[in-house]
Amino acid sequence: MRIEEMTTSDLRETALYHDTVLLTAGGIRTHKSHLPLGTSWFILRKIRDQIEKSLGGRILTFPLWPIDVHGEEEAMMTISNEALRDLFTSTKRQIAERLPLRYALLLCDSEAKEQAFLDAFSGSDILCDTFVWWRDGLQLDLSSYVLSGEQDTSILLSFAKGLIDWEEKSAQVPPVKTATSGVGESYLLRIYEQFQQKIERLWQQKY
Protein backbone atom coordinates (compact mmCIF):
# COMPACT_ATOMS: atom_id res chain seq x y z
CA MET A 1 0.00 0.00 0.00
CA ARG A 2 1.26 3.47 -0.85
CA ILE A 3 1.34 5.85 2.08
CA GLU A 4 0.72 8.89 -0.11
CA GLU A 5 -2.69 7.50 -1.07
CA MET A 6 -3.81 6.86 2.51
CA THR A 7 -5.97 8.94 4.84
CA THR A 8 -5.23 9.35 8.56
CA SER A 9 -7.84 6.72 9.38
CA ASP A 10 -6.29 4.41 6.77
CA LEU A 11 -2.96 4.76 8.56
CA ARG A 12 -4.49 3.70 11.88
CA GLU A 13 -6.15 0.70 10.27
CA THR A 14 -3.07 -0.37 8.35
CA ALA A 15 -1.19 -0.82 11.61
CA LEU A 16 -3.17 -4.04 12.02
CA TYR A 17 -1.61 -5.78 9.02
CA HIS A 18 1.39 -3.81 7.72
CA ASP A 19 4.61 -4.44 9.64
CA THR A 20 7.10 -3.54 6.89
CA VAL A 21 8.07 -0.24 5.30
CA LEU A 22 9.85 0.18 1.96
CA LEU A 23 11.84 3.37 1.37
CA THR A 24 13.17 4.10 -2.11
CA ALA A 25 15.95 6.55 -3.00
CA GLY A 26 17.37 7.27 -6.43
CA GLY A 27 18.79 10.43 -7.82
CA ILE A 28 18.57 12.68 -10.83
CA ARG A 29 21.86 12.56 -12.70
CA THR A 30 23.38 12.64 -16.15
CA HIS A 31 23.67 9.30 -17.94
CA LYS A 32 24.67 8.42 -21.46
CA SER A 33 23.40 10.99 -23.94
CA HIS A 34 20.35 8.98 -25.09
CA LEU A 35 18.97 8.45 -21.57
CA PRO A 36 16.86 10.86 -19.46
CA LEU A 37 18.26 12.40 -16.29
CA GLY A 38 15.72 10.44 -14.25
CA THR A 39 16.73 7.01 -15.57
CA SER A 40 17.58 5.59 -12.13
CA TRP A 41 14.48 7.21 -10.65
CA PHE A 42 12.19 5.67 -13.29
CA ILE A 43 13.71 2.21 -12.89
CA LEU A 44 13.42 2.33 -9.10
CA ARG A 45 9.82 3.49 -9.34
CA LYS A 46 9.03 0.57 -11.64
CA ILE A 47 10.59 -1.91 -9.19
CA ARG A 48 8.86 -0.31 -6.19
CA ASP A 49 5.48 -0.42 -7.93
CA GLN A 50 5.86 -4.11 -8.75
CA ILE A 51 6.78 -4.96 -5.16
CA GLU A 52 3.83 -2.91 -3.93
CA LYS A 53 1.58 -4.81 -6.33
CA SER A 54 2.93 -8.21 -5.26
CA LEU A 55 3.44 -7.68 -1.51
CA GLY A 56 1.45 -4.54 -0.73
CA GLY A 57 -0.76 -6.43 1.66
CA ARG A 58 2.10 -6.34 4.13
CA ILE A 59 4.48 -3.64 2.87
CA LEU A 60 3.84 0.09 3.19
CA THR A 61 5.69 1.98 0.45
CA PHE A 62 6.81 5.60 0.48
CA PRO A 63 7.27 7.99 -2.49
CA LEU A 64 10.69 7.98 -4.11
CA TRP A 65 13.33 10.35 -2.77
CA PRO A 66 15.24 11.98 -5.69
CA ILE A 67 18.41 12.22 -3.62
CA ASP A 68 22.08 11.50 -4.21
CA VAL A 69 25.03 11.73 -1.84
CA HIS A 70 27.94 14.14 -2.23
CA GLY A 71 30.58 12.52 -4.41
CA GLU A 72 28.23 10.34 -6.47
CA GLU A 73 29.17 10.84 -10.10
CA GLU A 74 27.11 13.18 -12.28
CA ALA A 75 24.52 13.77 -9.54
CA MET A 76 22.43 16.94 -9.70
CA MET A 77 20.75 16.98 -6.26
CA THR A 78 23.07 15.92 -3.44
CA ILE A 79 23.28 15.99 0.33
CA SER A 80 26.01 14.80 2.69
CA ASN A 81 26.19 11.23 3.98
CA GLU A 82 25.46 12.58 7.45
CA ALA A 83 22.39 14.48 6.27
CA LEU A 84 21.01 11.39 4.52
CA ARG A 85 21.66 9.26 7.61
CA ASP A 86 19.82 11.86 9.72
CA LEU A 87 16.93 11.85 7.25
CA PHE A 88 16.64 8.06 7.53
CA THR A 89 16.85 8.31 11.32
CA SER A 90 14.11 10.92 11.47
CA THR A 91 11.91 8.91 9.10
CA LYS A 92 12.43 5.77 11.18
CA ARG A 93 11.40 7.59 14.36
CA GLN A 94 8.30 9.19 12.85
CA ILE A 95 7.10 5.96 11.26
CA ALA A 96 7.66 4.03 14.49
CA GLU A 97 5.52 6.56 16.36
CA ARG A 98 2.58 5.71 14.09
CA LEU A 99 3.06 2.04 13.22
CA PRO A 100 4.23 -1.09 15.08
CA LEU A 101 7.07 -1.45 12.58
CA ARG A 102 9.05 -4.69 12.56
CA TYR A 103 10.90 -4.55 9.24
CA ALA A 104 12.38 -1.81 7.06
CA LEU A 105 13.74 -2.04 3.53
CA LEU A 106 15.68 0.34 1.32
CA LEU A 107 15.51 0.09 -2.46
CA CYS A 108 18.19 2.27 -4.02
CA ASP A 109 20.76 2.78 -6.76
CA SER A 110 23.99 3.26 -4.79
CA GLU A 111 26.00 1.76 -1.98
CA ALA A 112 26.46 5.20 -0.39
CA LYS A 113 22.71 5.43 0.21
CA GLU A 114 22.72 1.85 1.45
CA GLN A 115 25.37 2.65 4.06
CA ALA A 116 23.52 5.74 5.32
CA PHE A 117 20.37 3.63 5.76
CA LEU A 118 22.20 0.86 7.62
CA ASP A 119 23.90 3.41 9.88
CA ALA A 120 20.52 4.98 10.71
CA PHE A 121 18.94 1.64 11.63
CA SER A 122 21.95 0.23 13.47
CA GLY A 123 21.06 -0.83 17.01
CA SER A 124 17.34 -0.52 16.31
CA ASP A 125 14.72 -3.11 17.20
CA ILE A 126 13.59 -2.88 13.59
CA LEU A 127 15.06 -5.56 11.34
CA CYS A 128 16.28 -4.09 8.07
CA ASP A 129 17.82 -4.94 4.72
CA THR A 130 18.72 -3.21 1.49
CA PHE A 131 18.48 -3.81 -2.25
CA VAL A 132 20.78 -2.00 -4.67
CA TRP A 133 18.97 -2.82 -7.90
CA TRP A 134 21.90 -3.30 -10.31
CA ARG A 135 24.05 -5.17 -7.75
CA ASP A 136 21.50 -7.37 -6.02
CA GLY A 137 19.13 -7.73 -8.95
CA LEU A 138 21.60 -8.29 -11.80
CA GLN A 139 24.78 -9.24 -9.90
CA LEU A 140 26.83 -6.44 -11.48
CA ASP A 141 29.78 -4.67 -9.96
CA LEU A 142 29.87 -0.88 -10.03
CA SER A 143 32.38 -0.49 -12.85
CA SER A 144 30.59 -2.85 -15.25
CA TYR A 145 27.23 -1.21 -14.52
CA VAL A 146 28.45 2.37 -14.96
CA LEU A 147 30.54 1.71 -18.07
CA SER A 148 27.98 -0.39 -19.93
CA GLY A 149 24.73 1.58 -19.96
CA GLU A 150 23.08 -1.40 -21.66
CA GLN A 151 21.09 -2.46 -18.60
CA ASP A 152 19.58 1.00 -18.08
CA THR A 153 18.77 1.26 -21.78
CA SER A 154 17.16 -2.17 -22.11
CA ILE A 155 15.07 -1.74 -18.94
CA LEU A 156 13.84 1.70 -19.94
CA LEU A 157 12.97 0.39 -23.42
CA SER A 158 10.72 -2.22 -21.81
CA PHE A 159 8.35 0.27 -20.16
CA ALA A 160 9.21 3.86 -21.13
CA LYS A 161 10.74 3.85 -24.60
CA GLY A 162 9.36 7.32 -25.29
CA LEU A 163 11.90 8.75 -22.86
CA ILE A 164 14.86 7.57 -24.95
CA ASP A 165 16.48 9.76 -27.58
CA TRP A 166 16.51 7.35 -30.51
CA GLU A 167 18.88 9.39 -32.62
CA GLU A 168 21.42 9.44 -29.82
CA LYS A 169 20.87 5.73 -29.14
CA SER A 170 21.64 4.84 -32.75
CA ALA A 171 24.94 6.68 -32.42
CA GLN A 172 26.01 4.55 -29.44
CA VAL A 173 28.24 1.50 -29.77
CA PRO A 174 27.14 -2.03 -28.81
CA PRO A 175 25.85 -3.25 -26.46
CA VAL A 176 23.86 -0.02 -25.93
CA LYS A 177 23.08 0.34 -29.63
CA THR A 178 21.63 -3.17 -29.76
CA ALA A 179 19.72 -3.03 -26.45
CA THR A 180 16.12 -4.28 -26.72
CA SER A 181 12.91 -4.15 -24.71
CA GLY A 182 12.80 -7.96 -24.55
CA VAL A 183 16.13 -8.06 -22.77
CA GLY A 184 14.90 -5.28 -20.48
CA GLU A 185 11.82 -7.29 -19.55
CA SER A 186 14.01 -10.27 -18.65
CA TYR A 187 16.18 -7.99 -16.49
CA LEU A 188 13.13 -6.68 -14.65
CA LEU A 189 11.78 -10.18 -14.01
CA ARG A 190 15.14 -11.19 -12.57
CA ILE A 191 15.23 -8.07 -10.37
CA TYR A 192 11.68 -8.64 -9.09
CA GLU A 193 12.48 -12.26 -8.27
CA GLN A 194 15.70 -11.42 -6.43
CA PHE A 195 14.12 -8.59 -4.46
CA GLN A 196 11.09 -10.62 -3.45
CA GLN A 197 13.31 -13.46 -2.27
CA LYS A 198 15.34 -11.03 -0.20
CA ILE A 199 12.20 -9.63 1.40
CA GLU A 200 10.93 -13.10 2.23
CA ARG A 201 14.27 -13.97 3.85
CA LEU A 202 14.02 -10.84 5.96
CA TRP A 203 10.55 -11.84 7.10
CA GLN A 204 11.92 -15.18 8.26
CA GLN A 205 14.25 -13.45 10.70
CA LYS A 206 13.22 -13.27 14.35
CA TYR A 207 13.87 -10.63 16.97
Side-chain angles (χ1 to χ4, degrees):
M1 182 173 287
R2 301 176 187 176
I3 195 168
E4 66 268 28
E5 298 177 358
M6 299 170 63
T7 64
T8 303
S9 58
D10 288 336
L11 190 60
R12 287 194 295 267
E13 292 175 7
T14 199
L16 300 174
Y17 47 88
H18 287 77
D19 63 358
T20 307
V21 65
L22 171 61
L23 304 176
T24 307
I28 306 298
R29 65 181 72 172
T30 56
H31 294 265
K32 292 186 180 294
S33 59
H34 63 290
L35 294 171
L37 300 178
T39 294
S40 294
W41 190 90
F42 285 116
I43 291 173
L44 288 167
R45 186 179 67 176
K46 182 70 172 177
I47 299 168
R48 183 209 64 172
D49 289 351
Q50 179 60 38
I51 293 300
E52 192 273 334
K53 181 179 178 181
S54 301
L55 302 174
R58 185 170 177 181
I59 294 178
L60 185 63
T61 64
F62 274 63
L64 274 70
W65 296 353
I67 295 173
D68 279 311
V69 174
H70 293 340
E72 291 189 299
E73 291 188 16
E74 311 299 339
M76 300 183 68
M77 299 171 61
T78 67
I79 60 177
S80 68
N81 293 74
E82 294 76 14
L84 182 56
R85 182 198 60 212
D86 291 346
L87 180 58
F88 282 132
T89 301
S90 175
T91 302
K92 174 187 68 174
R93 182 178 64 253
Q94 294 180 55
I95 295 172
E97 289 173 354
R98 294 167 174 82
L99 294 170
L101 192 62
R102 296 183 63 192
Y103 305 98
L105 292 150
L106 175 68
L107 168 63
C108 66
D109 59 356
S110 79
E111 292 170 340
K113 298 183 187 74
E114 174 185 52
Q115 190 58 56
F117 174 85
L118 293 174
D119 289 346
F121 280 80
S122 176
S124 169
D125 291 335
I126 300 169
L127 298 175
C128 65
D129 207 345
T130 61
F131 191 85
V132 181
W133 77 263
W134 47 266
R135 184 194 68 195
D136 300 317
L138 298 178
Q139 285 73 56
L140 298 171
D141 59 39
L142 181 59
S143 60
S144 61
Y145 164 62
V146 171
L147 292 174
S148 170
E150 182 272 327
Q151 296 84 14
D152 288 335
T153 303
S154 294
I155 291 172
L156 214 58
L157 280 170
S158 73
F159 71 91
K161 62 183 180 180
L163 296 175
I164 291 177
D165 185 322
W166 289 89
E167 184 175 344
E168 287 288 340
K169 179 181 181 295
S170 66
Q172 300 289 323
V173 298
V176 171
K177 186 176 182 178
T178 54
T180 66
S181 60
V183 172
E185 289 172 1
S186 69
Y187 284 156
L188 282 174
L189 287 174
R190 193 187 315 170
I191 291 167
Y192 298 153
E193 181 180 279
Q194 294 296 323
F195 195 14
Q196 186 160 332
Q197 288 176 1
K198 197 165 194 181
I199 293 169
E200 290 171 349
R201 287 196 297 270
L202 177 65
W203 283 342
Q204 292 172 3
Q205 294 183 33
K206 306 298 182 183
Y207 286 98

